[in-house]
């Protein structure tokens, strides 16, 4: 495996930048193009690149499949929970003004951040789950049959 040394070093350098860019897109999505979906895909790409270069087993050590499934559910719960909180406070579903009734503008900001965070977590989990599912299946044909 030493013949991939340069690719491994470059990948290790890039993954940190990819993750930081995903967080930037996540938390600045309400001010600029981007948001939860784009950030989730970018974050998942960081894990997928790691798995492609280092192997599926190494990627699953970093982000185990059980954790990926829990993240997918957590994101949906965060999204739906934001809407349910506003309903329990007497507002419409996903009416962010319920977050801070004294300052509805702040509530809008907090609500959007929570919903977009839920979307980002869910998309990351689902994209990594799809990658794990495709790469862990047994091939039907061996390489010589091609």
């Amino acid at each position: 495996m030493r013949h991939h040394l340069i690719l491994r070093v470059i990948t290790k350098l890039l993954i940190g930048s990819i993750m930081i860019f995903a967080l930037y897109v996540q938390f600045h999505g309400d001010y600029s193009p981007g948001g939860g979906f784009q950030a989730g895909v970018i974050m998942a790409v960081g894990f997928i690149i790691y798995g492609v270069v280092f192997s599926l087993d190494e990627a699953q050590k970093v982000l185990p499949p059980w954790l990926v499934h829990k993240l997918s559910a957590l994101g949906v719960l965060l999204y739906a929970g934001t809407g349910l909180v506003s309903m329990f406070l007497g507002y419409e579903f996903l009416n962010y003004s319920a977050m801070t009734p004294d300052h509805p503008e702040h509530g809008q900001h907090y609500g959007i951040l929570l919903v977009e965070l839920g979307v980002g977590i869910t998309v990351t989990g689902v994209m990594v789950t799809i990658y794990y599912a495709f790469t862990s299946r047994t091939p039907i044909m061996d390489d010589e049959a091609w």
Side-chain angles (χ1 to χ4, degrees):
M1 288 288 184
R2 290 190 52 83
H3 60 281
H4 295 298
L5 181 62
I6 294 173
L7 184 60
R8 289 171 182 254
V9 170
I10 296 299
T11 300
K12 285 183 179 181
L13 290 172
L14 281 177
I15 287 176
S17 300
I18 291 170
M19 298 298 177
I20 289 172
F21 183 64
L23 291 173
Y24 171 79
V25 171
Q26 175 71 49
F27 292 111
H28 287 84
D30 51 335
Y31 297 119
S32 62
F37 185 83
Q38 293 85 344
V41 171
I42 294 168
M43 184 73 71
V45 163
F47 292 111
I48 292 169
I49 288 173
Y50 186 83
V52 167
V53 172
F54 289 98
S55 80
L56 176 64
D57 294 332
E58 291 298 316
Q60 288 181 340
K61 287 179 186 175
V62 173
L63 195 62
W66 65 266
L67 181 60
V68 174
H69 295 132
K70 302 286 188 258
L71 286 175
S72 299
L74 174 69
V76 172
L77 288 174
L78 185 60
Y79 185 100
T82 303
L84 291 175
V85 165
S86 63
M87 283 180 62
F88 287 133
L89 293 174
Y91 291 79
E92 297 86 17
F93 186 74
L94 290 178
N95 185 341
Y96 308 133
S97 300
M99 301 298 165
T100 55
D102 297 336
H103 297 93
E105 302 84 24
H106 293 151
Q108 292 289 325
H109 185 69
Y110 298 144
I112 289 170
L113 283 176
L114 287 172
V115 165
E116 291 295 329
L117 184 61
V119 170
I121 291 170
T122 301
V123 170
T124 299
V126 169
M127 294 299 290
V128 173
T129 299
I130 292 170
Y131 168 70
Y132 285 173
F134 277 122
T135 55
S136 64
R137 72 176 194 82
T138 307
I140 297 171
M141 299 171 57
D142 58 355
D143 289 337
E144 288 79 31
W146 284 97

